[in-house]
Amino acid sequence: MPRFGETIPIDDYVIDVLMRDLIGHDQQPTAYLVYLYLYGQAVRKKWKPVSASLRMLADATGLSKSAVQIALANLRRRELIVTTRDHATATSRHRVLRHWRM
């Protein structure tokens, strides 16, 4: 069940810099949407990796699985997430990186 009453803090960087970079410069608004979703889930899990398949991310964001797949590749390339899985058919775990905080 969604938690519509919960407020999630978002770093200024995500709004002021990352949005402009992903949407304006990279022309990848889907990557920004997927990052926002993963960011929100990571906050709720106290920054632990988020387990989510392509189908789960597509359903959660309203995007197609192929759009999510491209978005994840872009986020990994930009070093905004790290994706791991135990074996080829296991559900992926996405760790949200916040390099601006290091």
Side-chain angles (χ1 to χ4, degrees), residues 26-91:
D26 288 357
Q27 302 281 313
Q28 289 289 323
T30 56
Y32 187 69
L33 289 174
V34 171
Y35 185 81
L36 279 180
Y37 176 77
L38 291 172
Y39 187 101
Q41 294 302 309
V43 168
R44 289 183 181 112
K45 294 179 64 133
K46 301 190 185 330
W47 298 106
K48 293 180 182 171
V50 177
S51 293
S53 66
L54 289 176
R55 166 73 74 200
M56 293 164 68
L57 290 171
D59 289 345
T61 60
L63 301 168
S64 68
K65 286 193 320 185
S66 62
V68 169
Q69 192 170 25
I70 292 167
L72 289 172
N74 191 13
L75 293 172
R76 284 190 292 270
R77 181 184 60 77
R78 298 279 312 258
E79 298 180 358
L80 293 167
I81 64 168
V82 172
T83 301
T84 58
R85 51 188 168 173
D86 295 333
H87 52 83
T89 58
T91 301

